[in-house]
Amino acid sequence: MRPLLASALLACCLSLSGCAGGLLQPASPARDAQAPALAPQSALQSIAPGRTTREDLARTMGKAIVVHFDSGNEVWVYRWMGRSKDTRTDTELVVLLGPDGVVKKVRVRPAYA
């Protein structure tokens, strides 16, 4: 009886972990989002931390991938697609906005080789 109970419990745990594994995978990135008209370095230079606002950013750069945090901060990501289908070859401009809607930090993540 014990081996049967142990194998049933193992089967149950494995099936639950399979379901949870699908929930823990990151969502597929928005590869179909249109890249800003500016080149990544030009976009970086057009943003002034401490002065550029959320509205300025939306007007200049367009629609972004936005991540909201409970603290009120937001991260806006702009993506230029690379040569392959995965995001490793994409170039990203990452902008941190404070709760007041003003840019705190900005950086470019270049494509990986």
Side-chain angles (χ1 to χ4, degrees):
M1 181 78 169
R2 273 209 132 119
L4 182 60
L5 180 61
S7 61
L9 184 59
L10 179 62
C12 184
C13 289
L14 288 174
S15 65
L16 287 175
S17 68
C19 292
L23 295 174
L24 299 176
Q25 292 179 358
S28 62
R31 302 256 321 148
D32 58 345
Q34 186 174 354
L38 297 173
Q41 289 301 324
S42 297
L44 178 66
Q45 292 172 355
S46 73
I47 301 169
R51 286 189 300 162
T52 303
T53 65
R54 180 183 294 118
E55 293 77 19
D56 297 335
L57 196 59
R59 184 175 46 254
T60 304
M61 300 291 294
K63 188 175 179 182
I65 300 166
V66 180
V67 179
H68 302 275
F69 293 94
D70 291 339
S71 63
N73 290 333
E74 295 178 353
V75 172
W76 288 28
V77 179
Y78 294 94
R79 184 172 286 149
W80 290 264
M81 289 179 44
R83 287 179 262 169
S84 71
K85 291 184 180 183
D86 69 17
T87 58
R88 293 179 52 83
T89 60
D90 293 350
T91 299
E92 292 180 339
L93 177 74
V94 182
V95 184
L96 174 65
L97 292 125
D100 58 355
V102 177
V103 173
K104 295 172 90 174
K105 292 183 180 181
V106 61
R107 71 175 180 88
V108 170
R109 184 199 54 89
Y112 296 113

